[in-house]
Amino acid sequence: MKPEPNFFEKSHEVAKLIPFGRVTSYGAIAKYLGAARSARMVGWAMNNSHGKDVPAHRVVNRKGLLTGKHHFDGTNLMQQLLESEGIKVVENQIQDLEKVFWDPTLEL
DNA sequence: CTCTTGACTGAGG
DNA sequence: GCCTCAGCCAAGA
């Protein structure tokens, strides 16, 4: 498969489709894009999307851990954004992940 | 072109 | 359930 420049657009689009008060994982987005093994690329795409309308704070790893919080401002900004949506976060980890988890392959 | 890095995930111990 | 190893793909030096 050739590299697909649309991968970024797709990643951004899916991230924007995440409902309020919900979160998803890089793997879920990657799988939806048809690149289940390219979860890292999604994270990389998020880095590129930083500064855009992409709610990257709703995207976490499969453990529900806010691995990307260091890329926002290096503090608790990401956690506060999630808590503002009703998502409980403790120690950079999302609580009740199963309840707030949103899978694009299932919901879409 | 080659090597390293990375916002990850799944499998094995 | 936690820790470690390997696979994965793309971009930057």
Side-chain angles (χ1 to χ4, degrees):
Chain A
M1 286 292 284
K2 301 189 310 179
E4 200 164 316
N6 289 319
F7 192 88
F8 284 43
E9 293 290 328
K10 285 288 208 172
S11 300
H12 301 166
E13 184 176 354
V14 175
K16 290 177 183 177
L17 291 174
I18 300 174
F20 183 88
R22 296 291 186 90
V23 297
T24 189
S25 64
Y26 303 95
I29 296 175
K31 185 177 181 181
Y32 176 74
L33 299 179
R37 272 104 178 183
S38 301
R40 306 167 92 144
M41 302 300 93
V42 177
W44 187 85
M46 289 296 103
N47 186 20
N48 193 68
S49 68
H50 185 258
K52 296 182 172 57
D53 297 332
V54 180
H57 62 272
R58 291 182 184 156
V59 185
V60 298
N61 69 355
R62 73 175 184 88
K63 299 174 188 172
L65 191 63
L66 309 186
T67 51
K69 68 169 298 179
H70 297 287
H71 288 264
F72 274 83
D73 67 343
T75 61
N76 55 345
L77 173 62
M78 187 174 183
Q79 179 174 333
Q80 288 186 25
L81 287 171
L82 292 171
E83 290 181 326
S84 297
E85 298 187 357
I87 299 173
K88 291 183 286 188
V89 181
V90 178
E91 293 290 284
N92 302 332
Q93 187 171 348
I94 295 177
Q95 307 301 301
D96 301 316
L97 179 61
E98 297 179 11
K99 296 178 182 176
V100 298
F101 187 79
W102 179 79
D103 189 341
T105 62
L106 297 177
E107 302 296 328
L108 301 178

